[in-house]
């Protein structure tokens, strides 16, 4: 798992640099910079909007005595998507928008729920309660 993480920390930035260089060669440096700034602004706005909506849904579920498990996964996806959109680059922006848009987020959400269920079942995921 750590090898994959280290590989991603090396490969993703290298790919981002390559895409930014190709983009600046094709459409120009000012437009590339403008697009990076614009996706950051739009991403921050969308992350805030989706985060507030998810928080309201979680509050409603808690008020009704429900456990907001799906909403917690939504919040995790929104957090990661927002962070990815604030990092400069088109690859991370694409992944960030994918995680922020509710319709596309549902595919990742279903995958994450299966992963969490498997971790709980195998005993690899443990909650520590401090009272």
């Amino acid at each position: 798992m750590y090898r994959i993480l280290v590989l991603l920390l090396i490969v993703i930035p290298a790919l981002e640099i390559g895409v930014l260089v190709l983009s600046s060669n094709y459409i120009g440096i000012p437009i590339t910079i403008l697009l990076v700034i614009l996706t950051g602004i739009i991403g921050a706005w969308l992350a805030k909007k989706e985060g507030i909506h998810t928080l309201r849904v979680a509050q409603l579920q808690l008020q009704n005595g429900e456990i907001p498990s799906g909403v917690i996964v939504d919040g995790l996806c929104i957090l990661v998507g927002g962070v990815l959109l604030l990092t400069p680059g088109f690859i991370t922006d694409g992944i960030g928008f994918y995680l922020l848009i509710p319709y596309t987020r549902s595919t990742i959400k279903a995958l994450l729920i299966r992963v969490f269920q498997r971790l709980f079942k195998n005993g690899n995921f443990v909650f520590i309660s401090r009272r």
Side-chain angles (χ1 to χ4, degrees), residues 46 77 80-82 84-85 91-101:
L46 187 59
C77 289
V80 172
L84 287 174
L85 278 164
I91 297 170
T92 53
D93 287 347
I95 298 168
F97 278 120
Y98 191 86
L99 289 171
L100 285 180
I101 297 170

Side-chain angles (χ1 to χ4, degrees), residues 38-67:
L38 190 63
T39 57
I41 292 170
I42 293 171
W45 172 81
L46 187 59
K48 179 181 176 183
K49 178 181 174 267
E50 289 298 316
I52 290 171
H53 173 71
T54 302
L55 187 60
R56 286 185 183 147
V57 170
Q59 288 173 341
L60 285 173
Q61 288 180 346
L62 286 171
Q63 287 173 356
N64 293 331
E66 301 172 16
I67 298 173

Side-chain angles (χ1 to χ4, degrees), residues 5-7 9-10 14 17 20 22 27 35 43 48-49 74 78 81 95 101 103 109 112 129-130:
L5 187 61
V6 169
L7 184 65
L9 288 174
I10 294 170
I17 291 169
L20 286 170
L22 286 173
I27 60 175
L35 282 173
K48 179 181 176 183
K49 178 181 174 267
D74 272 332
I78 292 167
I95 298 168
I101 297 170
Y103 302 111
K109 182 179 166 182
L112 284 175
S129 175
R130 296 180 192 231

